[in-house]
Amino acid sequence: MGDADEPRWLDAEEYAAWRSLLATVSLLESALDRQLQRDAGMPHAYYQILAMLSETPGRALRMSDLADITQSSQSRLSHAVSRLEAHGWVRRRPCPDDRRSTFAELTAAGHEVLVAAAPGHVECVRQNLFDQLTRDQVRALTEVCTAALGRLAAAPGAGPLRGALQRAQGVPDVSRDAALGR
């Protein structure tokens, strides 16, 4: 086996960064899920669906695009949307130009739930991530994530994630209104 066939192992610094990233993402996701379950009666995955719908024109997306954006399987997303429909927060409607597609649409009640849940959610994000960082570290985190997202969003199957890259590179307005999709 020649040098070209050898794996490019992570060095000690890269390995430490990798393990730190995995632990941070896992623990942050758990903290967000606990907070949303406690305060809004929904898992973080449902909040993400509502938030993604709130950020799109007409507050609606094709189910396939919503699955891509939320990194969810079609069946998992369909189950989640069924639960959100049962609460009256989302409705499905046929796609007018493609009978095979269905849109998920945020209802007024769903928007109200999202608006009510957003302050607790953003406080949890702030307490568990941003309150520990300096402005320089926030900028560095943005640069690191944007660089990684650039590679990941360009990969086959990334679909609507390319839009996430464009928003990240444009450093969107994250005012309260923007965060609530208004």
Side-chain angles (χ1 to χ4, degrees):
M1 191 193 269
D3 286 345
D5 296 331
E6 283 292 316
R8 295 185 318 131
W9 297 109
L10 301 178
D11 64 29
E13 188 175 28
E14 291 168 331
Y15 184 75
W18 171 239
R19 297 302 298 174
S20 178
L21 174 63
L22 287 179
T24 300
V25 169
S26 179
L27 291 171
L28 182 58
E29 186 71 31
S30 293
L32 293 171
D33 200 52
R34 282 190 310 274
Q35 178 274 318
L36 284 163
Q37 286 284 7
R38 182 188 66 236
D39 297 347
M42 75 176 87
H44 188 231
Y46 291 10
Y47 181 89
Q48 287 180 301
I49 292 168
L50 298 177
M52 293 303 99
L53 291 173
S54 78
E55 294 175 4
T56 60
R59 295 185 180 157
L61 280 168
R62 287 179 198 264
M63 291 282 288
S64 57
D65 289 342
L66 186 55
D68 287 344
I69 290 168
T70 60
Q71 293 295 284
S72 188
S73 69
Q74 292 277 350
S75 62
R76 177 180 255 177
L77 178 70
S78 182
H79 176 73
V81 168
S82 292
R83 299 288 304 263
L84 293 168
E85 279 182 303
H87 288 291
W89 300 342
V90 171
R91 74 175 138 256
R92 292 180 216 226
R93 62 178 169 84
C95 177
D97 58 341
D98 181 359
R99 291 182 182 199
R100 297 169 298 163
S101 294
T102 301
F103 279 98
E105 181 178 27
L106 184 66
T107 64
H111 187 258
E112 288 176 19
V113 166
L114 180 64
V115 168
H121 175 70
V122 75
E123 183 59 27
C124 187
V125 171
R126 180 166 295 293
Q127 286 177 359
N128 288 288
L129 181 63
F130 291 106
D131 285 352
Q132 284 68 242
L133 303 178
T134 66
R135 276 288 149 197
D136 286 342
Q137 289 172 320
V138 170
R139 281 188 282 279
L141 178 61
T142 301
E143 289 174 18
V144 167
C145 291
T146 300
L149 184 58
R151 171 70 182 250
L152 294 167
L161 288 177
R162 286 185 183 86
L165 172 62
Q166 292 164 346
R167 286 190 301 278
Q169 289 173 333
V171 187
D173 174 18
V174 291
S175 68
R176 179 172 180 260
D177 286 347
L180 298 177
R182 293 189 255 171

